[in-house]
Amino acid sequence: MGDSMNKKIIIIVGIIILVVGILLSVLRLNGNRIVKSNIEVDYPIISDESLTYEKRIFDTNYMHLVNIIIADKDWEDLIKNPLNKTKYNVDVEIDGIRFNNVSFKTKGNSSLNNIANGPREGPASNRYSFKINFGKYNKNQTYFGLDKLHLNNIYGDATYLNDYMSYETFRNIGISAPLDSFVVLKINSEDLGIYLAVEDVGESFFKRNDLKGNLYKPEQEKGNDLGASLTYKDDILSSYSNIFNNAETTVTEEDKLRLIESLKKLNNNEVLNTVDVDEVIRYFVAHNYLLSYDSYTGPSIHNYYLKEENGLLSIIPWDYNLAFGRFAMEEDTTFIANFGIDSPLYKATIDERPLWKWIVVNEEYRNTYHEVMSELITNYFESGEFNSTVDKTYELIRPYIKQDSSAFYNINQVDEAVDTLKDFCTYRTKSIRLQLSGELAADTKEQSMDDKVDASRINLEKMGLIAKDDKKQMQ
């Protein structure tokens, strides 16, 4: 009896040891947190050296792998001082191809601060956004033609798709938007999470899209416009420091004076030879559908690029992680979904946003804007292509999100967020169709509640953090 009992105990102990061993092979103790074993990524080996970066890192048919090889002391310094945005010399492997002497640093504003000031421990405590510069330390080096790459941590976006689907919307309507794709990011071969890789709007972007001219990234600072709204004030260069201090290309005094002259004409609604009419109208069609107010059309003027060539102005989209009405809009979802396409400014007037004003005050341009808006919702949203792209993309990334131990949301929250995104766009599209037909006013202030599409069943918070929300991380 005793021997039999002892044998059973030995067997049970053996089973327990075996189970623990299996668990430890799946889970790895790292400081004060448990991290899942490395996420495996299957990517094709590309032997064709002639393929440029858009056919490599931005091939959206598969998940990519980016591994940053950084000295331990540098990584420790980065996580201790993320707000310094120090540039570190690292090596980078992208889908198995290694590049040496590459610049690597943190990037971002609100998301960077929220994580830096959030919990110092936990699976998402080091999940910053980063920027890679392939030619910082080796001026002749690019990633198959790409000079800089952004790695966005998808902070606060429970859908994972805000930026991705926004850029897809711009491309659908014929706007040159940054390329992007999903990647598994590793630091020294250890998982950091699922990221969105985004093409930098710079030299390689200009070359890919055959663009010329000067590029600026206007940025309102501390509530001071100083040119960020593109409002003309005078002919003094310092009045536009928030444009010129954020020049992405080398500009001369002559370039600056020419831009000021274009702003003067723009503010007088002199559009011909001042604005790329088709390009800017198409930009605002996509932008106004997407309801992104952390931008030119909102109270904080930034997140767009201004291109000027021989006095002709155009605009390039950037940063749509708070699209679909999730920035500072205090009204209910029905109000947001029905936001008037002819009154797309939030907490701003048309005189304060001259790059939009010329479209809405001129009947011919406004009609063209309506025609292109109808083109967008007919071909992309009502056709089902938008939802199809969402489903295809989410099918690709969902298994990786499910394994991501540093994700800001669990997989059930992400599933619900993706469904909410599609539902919201269904209501938004129905409202715009009514606005275009005249059954609902295209100016928000003139809309009757009885005519609006009822979107009250939608909870925007299911799609992620609302800007200015005090939540730091959601697990």
Side-chain angles (χ1 to χ4, degrees):
M1 180 76 176
D3 290 342
S4 176
M5 181 63 69
N6 289 336
K7 288 180 180 179
K8 288 182 180 180
I9 293 173
I10 292 172
I11 292 172
I12 292 172
V13 170
I15 292 173
I16 292 173
I17 293 173
L18 178 62
V19 170
V20 170
I22 293 172
L23 288 174
L24 287 177
S25 70
V26 176
L27 298 176
R28 169 174 50 86
L29 187 61
N30 184 0
N32 293 324
R33 60 194 179 109
I34 296 291
V35 181
K36 289 184 181 178
S37 62
N38 286 343
I39 301 173
E40 296 295 330
V41 182
D42 294 324
Y43 53 84
I45 303 300
I46 300 176
S47 57
D48 186 352
E49 290 293 325
S50 68
L51 288 184
T52 54
Y53 67 88
E54 55 264 44
K55 299 292 186 180
R56 294 175 180 269
I57 183 68
F58 296 120
D59 185 331
T60 59
N61 292 306
Y62 58 92
M63 182 70 79
H64 298 267
L65 175 61
V66 176
N67 183 31
I68 307 297
I69 299 95
I70 182 172
D72 289 341
K73 64 179 179 60
D74 288 342
W75 179 245
E76 290 171 5
D77 182 67
L78 184 152
I79 61 180
K80 287 180 181 177
N81 306 288
L83 299 179
N84 291 349
K85 298 184 178 180
T86 302
K87 296 180 176 69
Y88 301 94
N89 190 324
V90 306
D91 294 346
V92 178
E93 289 179 351
I94 300 179
D95 293 340
I97 302 176
R98 187 158 178 158
F99 295 81
N100 301 318
N101 299 321
V102 171
S103 172
F104 178 73
K105 73 180 189 70
T106 56
K107 66 177 285 284
N109 294 307
S110 59
S111 63
L112 175 61
N113 279 279
N114 282 338
I115 296 175
N117 296 320
R120 301 310 302 160
E121 300 292 341
S125 59
N126 302 327
R127 190 182 171 120
Y128 298 105
S129 291
F130 302 102
K131 185 175 182 179
I132 293 172
N133 184 340
F134 292 96
K136 175 68 177 178
Y137 305 116
N138 181 350
K139 295 190 181 300
N140 296 320
Q141 179 170 251
T142 66
Y143 169 77
F144 298 100
L146 179 66
D147 48 5
K148 298 171 186 175
L149 178 68
H150 298 260
L151 298 169
N152 292 348
N153 63 357
I154 319 180
Y155 176 81
D157 178 12
T159 72
Y160 276 69
L161 296 171
N162 268 24
D163 265 319
Y164 186 88
M165 292 309 303
S166 293
Y167 290 139
E168 286 288 300
T169 301
F170 277 104
R171 280 188 281 273
N172 184 272
I173 206 64
I175 293 294
S176 299
L179 299 175
D180 54 352
S181 64
F182 289 94
V183 306
V184 171
L185 178 62
K186 295 175 183 280
I187 302 294
N188 294 330
S189 299
E190 295 184 3
D191 295 335
L192 197 59
I194 311 305
Y195 275 62
L196 185 71
V198 183
E199 176 188 23
D200 183 66
V201 176
E203 185 177 344
S204 52
F205 178 88
F206 264 45
K207 185 176 180 179
R208 179 176 68 82
N209 292 287
D210 195 25
L211 302 178
K212 295 180 175 61
N214 291 319
L215 183 69
Y216 305 88
K217 193 172 184 289
E219 187 90 17
Q220 177 179 283
E221 295 182 1
K222 298 179 180 179
N224 297 317
D225 185 338
L226 294 176
S229 68
L230 308 183
T231 302
Y232 173 78
K233 182 179 179 182
D234 51 41
D235 293 332
I236 301 172
L237 295 182
S238 60
S239 297
Y240 308 92
S241 58
N242 282 344
I243 299 178
F244 299 137
N245 289 348
N246 294 295
E248 298 286 322
T249 50
T250 302
V251 294
T252 64
E253 182 173 339
E254 180 184 357
D255 293 328
K256 295 176 182 179
L257 292 173
R258 185 177 62 250
L259 178 59
I260 291 175
E261 181 62 25
S262 293
L263 296 183
K264 185 175 183 179
K265 292 178 180 178
L266 174 66
N267 282 257
N268 289 329
N269 292 320
E270 298 175 32
V271 177
L272 293 179
N273 301 318
T274 304
V275 175
D276 187 327
V277 171
D278 182 67
E279 188 84 5
V280 175
I281 285 177
R282 288 180 177 274
Y283 168 90
F284 278 113
V285 163
H287 179 81
N288 293 346
Y289 180 99
L290 294 168
L291 296 169
S292 181
Y293 288 104
D294 189 21
S295 68
Y296 180 79
T297 53
S300 301
I301 314 169
H302 64 160
N303 285 336
Y304 75 95
Y305 285 90
L306 176 70
K307 187 176 82 71
E308 179 273 328
E309 181 183 3
N310 298 323
L312 197 67
L313 304 177
S314 59
I315 186 169
I316 297 170
W318 184 251
D319 198 345
Y320 280 78
N321 69 311
L322 288 169
F324 309 104
R326 285 178 34 245
F327 180 84
M329 296 193 79
E330 301 158 6
E331 293 80 5
D332 61 48
T333 310
T334 293
F335 178 93
I336 296 170
N338 288 279
F339 210 63
I341 59 174
D342 287 359
S343 58
L345 306 181
Y346 189 70
K347 297 184 178 180
T349 67
I350 60 172
D351 289 331
E352 294 170 329
R353 301 294 186 270
L355 194 60
W356 158 253
K357 179 180 178 180
W358 64 270
I359 297 174
V360 74
V361 299
N362 181 289
E363 184 178 3
E364 179 183 352
Y365 294 135
R366 187 171 65 250
N367 288 340
T368 301
Y369 165 72
H370 285 187
E371 290 170 4
V372 179
M373 182 67 82
S374 180
E375 174 189 334
L376 172 66
I377 65 171
T378 298
N379 295 339
Y380 197 48
F381 291 94
E382 293 172 335
S383 69
E385 184 177 346
F386 176 87
N387 281 358
S388 177
T389 302
V390 168
D391 292 340
K392 177 185 175 183
T393 306
Y394 190 48
E395 182 180 4
L396 169 69
I397 66 177
R398 188 181 187 277
Y400 297 96
I401 296 172
K402 198 172 180 180
Q403 299 177 67
D404 187 357
S405 63
S406 73
F408 297 111
Y409 300 88
N410 64 49
I411 195 63
N412 293 329
Q413 289 173 311
V414 181
D415 287 342
E416 189 172 28
V418 172
D419 288 339
T420 303
L421 171 63
K422 292 191 291 184
D423 288 344
F424 179 80
C425 288
T426 296
Y427 290 118
R428 178 68 176 150
T429 300
K430 287 180 179 178
S431 175
I432 291 177
R433 179 57 71 194
L434 293 176
Q435 293 180 46
L436 291 172
S437 68
E439 296 173 74
L440 175 66
D443 187 318
T444 307
K445 293 180 180 178
E446 298 174 5
Q447 291 178 348
S448 166
M449 192 65 195
D450 292 338
D451 296 331
K452 291 182 178 181
V453 172
D454 182 5
S456 59
R457 64 178 289 270
I458 298 292
N459 180 359
L460 288 182
E461 290 189 355
K462 289 183 178 179
M463 288 198 288
L465 294 183
I466 307 298
K468 298 184 180 180
D469 197 321
D470 61 0
K471 299 172 186 174
K472 300 298 182 184
Q473 296 180 17
M474 295 180 66
Q475 299 297 337

